[in-house]
Amino acid sequence: MSTKNIHTDSGIPVKVVYTSADNSNPEASLPGQFPFTRGVQPDMYRGKLWTMRQYAGFSTAEESNKRYHYLLSQGVSGLSVAFDLPTQIGYDSDHPLADGEVGKVGVAIDSLEDMEKLFEGIKLENVSTSMTINATGFILLAFYVALAKKQGADLTKITGTIQNDILKEYAARGTYIYPPKPSMRIITDIFEWCSKEVPKWNTISISGYHIREAGSTAVQEIAFTLSNGKAYVKAALEKGLDINVFGKRLSFFFNAHNNLFEEVAKFRAARKMWARIMKELGATDEKAMMLRFHTQTGGSTLTAQQPQNNISRVTIQTLAAVMGGTQSLHTNGFDEALSLPTEDAARIALRTQQIVAFESGVADTADPLAGSYFIESLTNEVEKAAWQLIEKIDAMGGSVAAIEEGFMQDEIARSAYQYQKEIEDGSKIIVGVNKFGIEEKNDTPVLKIDESIQKTQTEKLASLKAKRNHELAMRSLTELSAAASGTQNIMPYVLTAVEHYCTLGEIADCLRKIYGEYQ
């Protein structure tokens, strides 16, 4: 009998064999029933497949628009927008701090004019759009709603998501602008405004993805994400919002890594835990207790060595997300350790989802791994370990306090260090990196972003400012300042400013003067 000690990536011991004795607490509920361990829909993908999103955005709005039309023609059912760093942290393309970053990791969006070009020829009523944006999420949402209005869309039919999860930015990713308190106020303003104006919009995508990318384990990913979710719910309750209304518009965003069974167990455990959290916070409508989530395959698992191996990694991660019951999925291009994905790599990534959906049979039945002694035992172990972390965070006073004390950041750093140490000492094998290497000449074609984009964007900004009604633009910024200084919901004022062609940087700066910046 093997005496080798084997653990999952979260350090949960894996036994040689599992029997019914390991499943002391079998999940009795069915898919679509509280606590939703087995999925949020009774028939899962037999009723409707997950939304196949491909995350895309680079260079200018015009270039990204071409990629969106291409992806829609290839069978994508939802768009997912990547924004460049200046857009993410509230700087226009002509700002000195935007130098060298315009259009690099996503598309540059400075104004409603750019948003009009980004979605040219695409009816917003007919497409679900996810926007990966946090600190400036409220501005991008206003651009999107303003464009929908210009298209004559029925706002009650507009669907999509803004990430809008600022707590994980402080903990793991770093694209924050304002301190935690005013940031939480902006988020609850969005919850309140959307429930009236765009009721089908998912107002937040509480994100474990970047926590995992920063080096956390699967257990830490769900514990920290659900703790952050709890903090947003409490902030909304303090504002007097109805948990049964805003609870239905909360969504989550998780990572899928290579440890197939731990990943499936993680998704199942997260659903069960969130249902309990929402019930304890006062939700009575079961729809408000459902954890609905988007998944992206693990960017940090991709290797620059033998990049085509990444196609196999992404396939395993796709299976984990689907067998774990995701509502939408983005699959990474095999070349993303080298550059933004080329069109070929994006197509292969989409085809990976389509092959799993239409050829593998895993979508034919809800929760196909249920009842496996190993999966049920692992789901319970992941849940138990995640509750222990959540209890620690609760004892500190919740996520905001835990982030301010550096607890989450330290835990993630410790896990990342441990993981890297195991790769270096060879106890963790990464194929093509620390084992099975080859002499290779890397001739993978990469997508290059032209440096001239910043000049183009800067010229567009100058032209916009010259032709807009300057007086109306400045007046709308003054009114926004007054609302932000008081207790009024800022969203109607942001929308007015956007419709008068105020830029992203002008709106972000307007609030910087009032709230300051987080250091």
Side-chain angles (χ1 to χ4, degrees):
M1 186 65 102
S2 166
T3 54
K4 201 165 134 192
N5 286 332
I6 292 178
H7 295 81
T8 69
D9 290 344
S10 295
I12 295 167
V14 178
K15 293 160 59 159
V16 177
V17 69
Y18 287 77
T19 68
S20 57
D22 295 296
N23 191 12
S24 55
N25 183 20
E27 182 52 65
S29 70
L30 291 169
Q33 290 179 0
F34 181 88
F36 312 108
T37 312
R38 302 193 56 198
V40 292
Q41 302 296 342
D43 58 355
M44 283 307 288
Y45 306 128
R46 284 171 76 123
K48 179 177 178 270
L49 284 173
W50 64 92
T51 302
M52 296 182 196
R53 292 189 187 283
Q54 283 308 103
Y55 185 44
F58 56 93
S59 178
T60 59
E62 291 86 346
E63 282 302 308
S64 293
N65 177 263
K66 285 180 201 163
R67 176 69 66 91
Y68 294 157
H69 279 285
Y70 171 75
L71 288 169
L72 289 166
S73 78
Q74 293 299 307
V76 153
S77 46
L79 296 174
S80 190
V81 186
F83 297 96
D84 72 358
L85 276 174
T87 304
Q88 291 180 47
I89 50 176
Y91 294 119
D92 287 334
S93 298
D94 59 359
H95 193 284
L97 288 177
D99 276 358
E101 287 296 341
V102 177
K104 286 286 170 74
V105 299
V107 62
I109 299 292
D110 293 322
S111 70
L112 175 55
E113 193 174 69
D114 285 333
M115 201 62 139
E116 289 162 38
K117 294 192 172 89
L118 186 66
F119 289 102
E120 200 167 323
I122 298 168
K123 294 295 269 178
L124 300 192
E125 238 181 71
N126 303 338
V127 69
S128 160
T129 305
S130 167
M131 295 191 278
T132 306
I133 194 76
N134 296 283
T136 53
F138 66 105
I139 306 172
L140 273 300
L141 175 61
F143 285 152
Y144 195 83
V145 171
L147 175 58
K149 283 171 74 178
K150 283 190 84 168
Q151 287 186 355
D154 176 352
L155 295 188
T156 64
K157 289 184 181 157
I158 294 294
T159 61
T161 307
I162 38 170
Q163 195 163 95
N164 197 27
D165 173 6
I166 204 66
L167 293 177
K168 69 99 180 40
E169 293 296 330
Y170 303 121
R173 194 164 166 267
T175 67
Y176 43 71
I177 304 175
Y178 315 111
K181 263 206 169 73
S183 292
M184 293 296 271
R185 177 236 165 125
I186 293 169
I187 287 168
T188 53
D189 277 3
I190 291 169
F191 287 1
E192 182 180 51
W193 182 76
C194 285
S195 69
K196 299 185 186 94
E197 302 296 324
V198 271
K200 284 193 173 170
W201 192 266
N202 294 322
T203 47
I204 193 165
S205 177
I206 305 154
S207 176
Y209 185 84
H210 305 96
I211 290 169
R212 191 67 176 281
E213 288 294 284
S216 84
T217 64
V219 164
Q220 288 169 336
E221 179 188 353
I222 61 167
F224 296 163
T225 307
L226 298 184
S227 274
N228 289 349
K230 225 167 142 175
Y232 293 124
V233 172
K234 285 182 170 173
L237 289 171
E238 278 163 26
K239 202 182 171 84
L241 303 183
D242 183 346
I243 192 168
N244 288 321
V245 175
F246 75 78
K248 293 175 193 166
R249 300 272 48 101
L250 304 175
S251 65
F252 288 80
F253 173 26
F254 291 122
N255 210 316
H257 274 217
N258 292 329
N259 194 316
L260 180 69
F261 297 114
E262 184 176 47
E263 293 299 298
V264 174
K266 173 189 82 177
F267 297 131
R268 296 172 93 245
R271 268 194 298 272
K272 189 177 178 184
M273 293 169 75
W274 185 246
R276 183 175 135 189
I277 287 167
M278 287 299 272
K279 197 169 192 176
E280 284 171 2
L281 289 170
T284 53
D285 186 328
E286 286 204 342
K287 280 210 163 79
M289 302 176 203
M290 287 178 180
L291 181 144
R292 296 166 304 116
F293 66 98
H294 169 69
T295 309
Q296 182 173 338
T297 56
S300 61
T301 68
L302 303 179
T303 64
Q305 299 91 328
Q306 301 176 37
Q308 274 143 340
N309 293 347
N310 294 328
I311 298 172
S312 302
R313 293 185 176 103
V314 169
T315 306
I316 292 168
Q317 295 161 13
T318 300
L319 285 167
V322 172
M323 292 196 283
T326 193
Q327 275 59 67
S328 75
L329 178 61
H330 161 84
T331 32
N332 289 332
F334 72 86
D335 56 358
E336 286 188 55
L338 304 166
S339 74
L340 287 169
T342 59
E343 206 165 271
D344 281 351
R347 186 180 60 251
I348 291 168
L350 174 61
R351 294 290 181 257
T352 303
Q353 293 198 49
Q354 290 164 335
I355 290 166
V356 168
F358 298 107
E359 296 185 30
S360 74
V362 298
D364 294 349
T365 185
D367 196 15
L369 294 180
S372 147
Y373 300 139
F374 181 37
I375 277 291
E376 297 296 354
S377 170
L378 200 47
T379 301
N380 293 337
E381 290 294 323
V382 168
E383 184 189 359
K384 193 167 81 185
W387 279 128
Q388 285 167 356
L389 273 175
I390 288 175
E391 279 155 19
K392 272 189 192 171
I393 292 165
D394 285 346
M396 292 176 194
S399 271
V400 177
I403 288 164
E404 285 172 346
E405 284 180 38
F407 170 74
M408 287 191 196
Q409 297 92 313
D410 291 347
E411 288 286 306
I412 294 166
R414 198 175 296 118
S415 296
Y417 174 72
Q418 182 59 32
Y419 186 79
Q420 189 57 35
K421 213 168 100 185
E422 287 170 8
I423 292 171
E424 285 174 22
D425 68 22
S427 56
K428 173 106 190 133
I429 290 167
I430 307 294
V431 173
V433 176
N434 62 358
K435 202 162 188 181
F436 314 114
I438 53 168
E439 279 294 317
E440 60 181 325
K441 182 167 79 59
N442 201 332
D443 50 8
T444 306
V446 296
L447 185 72
K448 286 204 161 56
I449 302 299
D450 200 314
E451 293 296 338
S452 66
I453 286 157
Q454 186 163 8
K455 185 170 175 286
T456 307
Q457 281 297 113
T458 302
E459 285 164 3
K460 285 197 316 199
L461 273 165
S463 155
L464 173 78
K465 287 178 182 176
K467 70 188 176 199
R468 72 181 179 187
N469 184 321
H470 183 71
E471 193 186 321
L472 282 179
M474 291 308 107
R475 190 191 309 152
S476 61
L477 290 173
T478 305
E479 287 166 359
L480 172 59
S481 294
S485 304
T487 56
Q488 285 168 288
N489 190 309
I490 65 165
M491 283 306 295
Y493 298 93
V494 176
L495 184 62
T496 302
V498 156
E499 289 178 326
H500 289 315
Y501 290 91
C502 292
T503 70
L504 172 111
E506 288 171 333
I507 295 167
D509 282 348
C510 179
L511 299 191
R512 276 187 180 97
K513 290 189 184 105
I514 295 156
Y515 300 144
E517 292 191 68
Y518 180 70
Q519 300 299 328

